[in-house]
Structure formats: C-alpha cells, structure tokens
Amino acid sequence: MTPLEFRLPDLGEGLEHAEIVGWLVEEGATVTRDQPLVAVSTDKAVVELPSPVAGTLRTRRGTEGERIRVGEVIAVIEPVGQPAAVGNGAVSEAAVTTAPAAVGRPRAAPVVRRLAVELGVALETVAATGPEGRILADDVRRAAAVGAAPSPPPAAHPAAPVAPVPPPSAPSRPSTPIAGGAAGPAQATPGRHRLTGVRRRTAEVMSAAWSTIPHIANIDELDATELLEARTRLRRAAGDRGELVGVLPLLVMAAVHSLRRFPLLNATLDPSGSEVEVHADIHLGLAVATADGLVVPVIRHAGRRDLLDLATEMDRLATAARTRTLRLEELGGGTFTVTNFGSLGGRFSVPIIRPPEVAILGLGAIATRPWVVDGAVVARPVLPYSLTVDHRVLDGDAVCAFSTALAETLTNPISLLL
C-alpha cells in the first residue's frame, strides 16, 4: 500500500502549532491502529496522537522540543490491513483527550513515562491508581521505592528534564528542556534550559499580557471567622460529600455572586482593544499548579451551579489537570479567573490577567492575625485577597466596588445559599 503521510492535525481552539514532547514509537516499529505515536504540547495541554492506521512507522519528523505547524508531516507510515479510521490531517475526539492505548500498553502521560525511565521502573509492573487505570507519577515513585523491575532501554531522544552540568572547561553548555515544576517549585540544576510545553506558552502569554494590559489592583483582607464556621456546618449537612466542601468552593461561589452584581468584570476584550463583550454566562477559570506549570481549566456555567455541584466540578477539573487528562474544550473560553496562591502559603500578590479576560481574583492563605473588633485588637482568621483588572475597560471604582461586595458576602456567607 502507498505510504501514508500523517500530518499534525488541527487540535481545535485555533491553534497553529504544537510542540513535540516525545516520540512513543521508534522508527521501523510496527504499530496498531489508534496506538499513540507521539506526545505533543499545544498552547494549553499535552495530548497523545494515535496512528490512523496499522502498519510500520517508517519516518519520524521533528525532534523533542521542536514546534510543528498544523498540516506539516510528522510521520510516514506504511499501512497494512484496513484504511485509516481518522482522515489524514484530522484527529478524533478520543485522540484529543487521551488516545486509547494499544492492548496491553500501560496508560500513562508522557511526563510519567519519562519519570519511569529516569527511575528505572517498568510501567508494566506499576499498580495504577489514576482514573481509568492511568498510572500517575506517585504510582511510579512508589514502585521505585520498593524496587520495581527495570524498564527497557529508552528510545531515541530521551526526555531528560535537566542535563548534568558540564565541567568549567567545557566550551559550551547544552540547552536542555525545562517544562515546569516536576521536582517541586523552582527546582533545577545549574545550566541552560529551554522553556518548553506549558512553561513556554505561559512565558509567551504572560509577557504579552504584562506588556499590553494596563493592570490596576486592589489588595485587602477580611475576617474569615464566619466563612470557616459556614464551611464546618455545610460539611456536616453534606454528609458523605462533605469533604468536597472546602473554603475554596465557597470563595469561588462568592466571586460568582459578585460577578452577577458587576457584570463588566465577566467580560473579554478583543485583540484590537476596541470592543468588549460582556458575557451572560460565567465560565470561571481556576488556576491549578501541576508538574508542567500552571494550568487553568474552566468551570462551565459556574453561575448555574449549587455549592456541591460547583465543588464536585472543581475537584474533577483539578484532578484532571494534575493527571493531564483534561480535554481541550475544558481549557478555553474562560470569562474570569480565580487563582489561589494561598494554597502555597502566600499572603499578598498581584495576579496577571489572562487575556482576553479583563479581571482576575487572587486568594491568599487564611491565617490567624490581629484584627480590630469593637475597638479591641483580637486574634482572628484573616483572608487576604487581591483583584486585578484591565484599566482599558475598568477603573478604580469598579475594583473597589467588586472587592467590597466580595468581602460583604464572605463575612456573611449564608447569603451564598440565597
């Protein structure tokens, strides 16, 4: 049969490029239809692209870290048997989320496969605890700790996150990829590192946002006593689902209530800066720290959800973000973003707006601090928060009004249920 040129498909959301994270099959290997061939990083997520046919992978085009344009040939396959299930240049929904693995092949994201290679763990020996039998990074680390069987030698282009530091006499230092915080926040060894994948896209978006959006912000604190008491009571009332009712869902619901009162913050600005669209529905982005960097899945129709529904969806999206199982449509279309830097112990920050949105809410860590009550200084749980807006669309009065409304709601959280 005539060799098939497999081209980088259109993965949606208007993306023009994808970056090769790593090849999953060597040249000359036999592949089955729907077997993942290569992992690529889009602007928003890492996905595995499956082979559209069964056959032999004759040629791989593109190396790890290389950006490929949609429509470019990335592989040449000599097919056998049935014709392609997916047309050349297109990709199925299954392929966009996470392609179905070939029979017997362990389900694991590329970053987990790289970790297994580094730790000498055969994925076939690892007990999976992730959704749908997916192997997580913690599963690999546990297997390594108990002495799992070594994995076979890695294919060409191994994905080492950080390269050894060359001796001082070396004429140059190789540039190796660094994608995110796989080893923990701000961890890396001396040397030169390329920004790849989610980290590179974050750099591009944040640089553009900071240089083009005039940011103004309001930073304040509020007494969280009533908020914490409400959480405790709601957890009891929720019974078996009570563990989902944390402080963050209440904070997100309060943000939704404030957006209803001040709808201009629930808006997007077109690239020309000449037209703003105020959205009827609230599609709220929730920043989640992952091994690859900050990912922002979107809670659809957040304003239509009750507390338990909202909490359940937040938990699902956060888990999917950390296990790299988010669908592309769960990463776009946000109208307002909440970032919880308090989960890392932070107190104050000025979050950067995610274009084309016009506002972002940052939440700090609740901690016991001095607070004045009836003229006396007492110890109270205090929540720091900050609101940043695009000054092209909103002024200081809007920032203060939204922040005040948020504080009023959170100090009287029963209003969230009305």
Side-chain angles (χ1 to χ4, degrees), residues 213-216 259 262-270 275-279 334-337 352-361 387-394 399:
I213 299 176
H215 288 64
I216 56 173
L259 287 171
F262 303 98
L264 188 53
L265 278 78
N266 186 52
T268 52
L269 185 65
D270 72 5
E275 185 175 87
V276 62
E277 181 179 359
V278 179
H279 298 278
T335 60
F336 183 87
T337 294
I352 299 177
I353 297 165
R354 301 175 62 245
E357 297 169 20
V358 299
I360 183 171
L361 175 66
L387 177 71
T388 309
V389 304
D390 187 334
H391 206 350
R392 295 173 296 179
V393 178
L394 295 151
V399 181

Side-chain angles (χ1 to χ4, degrees), residues 214-382:
H215 288 64
I216 56 173
N218 182 68
I219 300 175
D220 210 336
E221 294 180 307
L222 59 88
D223 184 348
T225 302
E226 295 296 327
L227 177 65
L228 296 181
E229 290 181 359
R231 177 197 60 180
T232 300
R233 293 174 182 171
L234 288 168
R235 276 185 167 173
R236 292 198 202 102
D240 293 341
R241 300 175 67 190
E243 62 180 17
L244 292 171
V245 184
V247 169
L248 187 56
L250 291 168
L251 296 175
V252 169
M253 182 166 273
V256 168
H257 278 227
S258 297
L259 287 171
R260 289 200 189 103
R261 293 181 59 183
F262 303 98
L264 188 53
L265 278 78
N266 186 52
T268 52
L269 185 65
D270 72 5
S272 69
S274 61
E275 185 175 87
V276 62
E277 181 179 359
V278 179
H279 298 278
D281 280 330
I282 298 171
H283 303 306
L284 193 143
L286 183 66
V288 178
T290 75
D292 301 304
L294 205 62
V295 176
V296 187
V298 175
I299 306 166
R300 302 289 172 188
H301 307 291
R304 305 182 192 179
R305 299 176 184 269
D306 62 28
L307 180 61
L308 276 177
D309 184 23
L310 184 67
T312 300
E313 182 68 354
M314 289 171 60
D315 182 69
R316 183 189 72 81
L317 289 172
T319 299
R322 295 185 180 107
T323 57
R324 301 175 85 171
T325 56
L326 285 168
R327 300 188 300 274
L328 285 180
E329 62 267 25
E330 293 174 328
L331 287 159
T335 60
F336 183 87
T337 294
V338 172
T339 179
N340 180 26
F341 49 82
S343 63
L344 301 174
R347 184 176 183 183
F348 294 122
S349 179
V350 179
I352 299 177
I353 297 165
R354 301 175 62 245
E357 297 169 20
V358 299
I360 183 171
L361 175 66
L363 302 168
I366 296 177
T368 302
R369 298 188 176 97
W371 197 259
V372 177
V373 178
D374 297 329
V377 178
V378 297
R380 286 292 179 95
V382 175

Side-chain angles (χ1 to χ4, degrees), residues 2 6 39 48 115 138 149 224 239 242 303 399:
T2 303
F6 181 63
E48 294 179 354
L115 179 64
D138 285 344
V399 181

